[in-house]
Coordinates of all heavy atoms in Angstrom, one line a residue:
Chain A
D92 N -32.8 21.3 -6.1 CA -31.4 20.9 -6.5 C -31.5 19.6 -7.3 O -31.8 18.5 -6.8 CB -30.6 20.7 -5.3 CG -29.2 20.2 -5.7 OD1 -28.8 20.4 -6.9 OD2 -28.4 19.7 -4.8
G93 N -31.3 19.7 -8.6 CA -31.4 18.6 -9.5 C -30.1 17.9 -9.8 O -30.0 17.0 -10.6
G94 N -29.0 18.4 -9.2 CA -27.7 17.8 -9.5 C -27.4 16.6 -8.6 O -28.3 15.9 -8.2
N95 N -26.1 16.3 -8.5 CA -25.7 15.1 -7.7 C -25.3 15.4 -6.3 O -24.2 15.0 -5.9 CB -24.6 14.4 -8.5 CG -25.1 13.6 -9.7 OD1 -26.2 13.1 -9.6 ND2 -24.3 13.5 -10.7
S96 N -26.2 16.1 -5.6 CA -25.8 16.4 -4.2 C -25.9 15.2 -3.3 O -26.6 14.2 -3.6 CB -26.8 17.5 -3.7 OG -26.4 18.7 -4.2
Y97 N -25.1 15.3 -2.2 CA -25.2 14.3 -1.2 C -26.5 14.6 -0.4 O -26.7 15.7 0.0 CB -23.9 14.5 -0.3 CG -23.6 13.4 0.6 CD1 -24.2 12.1 0.6 CD2 -22.5 13.5 1.5 CE1 -23.8 11.1 1.4 CE2 -22.1 12.5 2.4 CZ -22.8 11.3 2.3 OH -22.4 10.2 3.1
Y98 N -27.2 13.5 -0.1 CA -28.5 13.7 0.5 C -28.4 14.3 1.9 O -29.3 15.0 2.4 CB -29.3 12.4 0.5 CG -28.9 11.5 1.6 CD1 -29.6 11.4 2.9 CD2 -27.8 10.6 1.5 CE1 -29.2 10.6 3.9 CE2 -27.4 9.8 2.5 CZ -28.1 9.8 3.7 OH -27.7 8.9 4.7
I99 N -27.3 14.1 2.5 CA -27.0 14.7 3.8 C -27.0 16.2 3.7 O -27.4 16.9 4.7 CB -25.8 14.1 4.4 CG1 -26.1 12.6 4.8 CG2 -25.3 14.9 5.6 CD1 -24.9 11.9 5.3
D100 N -26.5 16.7 2.6 CA -26.5 18.2 2.4 C -27.9 18.7 2.2 O -28.3 19.8 2.6 CB -25.6 18.5 1.2 CG -24.1 18.4 1.5 OD1 -23.7 18.6 2.7 OD2 -23.4 18.0 0.6
D101 N -28.7 17.9 1.5 CA -30.1 18.3 1.4 C -30.8 18.5 2.7 O -31.5 19.5 2.9 CB -30.9 17.2 0.6 CG -30.5 17.0 -0.8 OD1 -30.1 18.0 -1.5 OD2 -30.4 15.8 -1.3
I102 N -30.6 17.5 3.6 CA -31.2 17.6 4.9 C -30.8 18.9 5.6 O -31.6 19.6 6.2 CB -30.8 16.4 5.8 CG1 -31.4 15.1 5.1 CG2 -31.3 16.5 7.2 CD1 -31.0 13.8 5.8
R103 N -29.5 19.2 5.6 CA -29.0 20.4 6.2 C -29.6 21.7 5.5 O -30.0 22.6 6.2 CB -27.5 20.4 6.1 CG -26.8 21.7 6.5 CD -25.3 21.7 6.4 NE -24.8 21.3 5.1 CZ -24.8 22.1 4.0 NH1 -25.2 23.3 4.0 NH2 -24.3 21.6 2.8
R104 N -29.6 21.7 4.2 CA -30.0 22.8 3.5 C -31.5 23.1 3.8 O -31.9 24.3 4.0 CB -29.8 22.7 2.0 CG -28.4 22.7 1.6 CD -28.2 22.3 0.1 NE -26.8 22.1 -0.2 CZ -26.4 21.2 -1.2 NH1 -27.3 20.5 -1.9 NH2 -25.1 21.1 -1.4
A105 N -32.3 22.1 3.7 CA -33.8 22.3 4.0 C -33.9 22.9 5.4 O -34.8 23.8 5.6 CB -34.5 20.9 3.9
K106 N -33.1 22.4 6.3 CA -33.3 22.9 7.7 C -32.8 24.4 7.7 O -33.5 25.2 8.4 CB -32.4 22.1 8.6 CG -32.7 22.2 10.1 CD -31.8 21.4 11.0 CE -32.1 20.0 11.0 NZ -31.2 19.2 11.8
E107 N -31.8 24.8 7.0 CA -31.3 26.1 6.9 C -32.4 27.1 6.3 O -32.5 28.2 6.7 CB -30.0 26.2 6.2 CG -28.8 25.6 7.0 CD -27.6 25.5 6.1 OE1 -27.6 25.8 4.9 OE2 -26.6 24.9 6.6

Side-chain angles (χ1 to χ4, degrees):
Chain A
D92 178 17
N95 282 328
S96 282
Y97 197 7
Y98 78 97
I99 288 174
D100 289 327
D101 294 322
I102 296 174
R103 171 180 53 78
R104 289 170 191 153
K106 199 182 279 179
E107 288 167 1

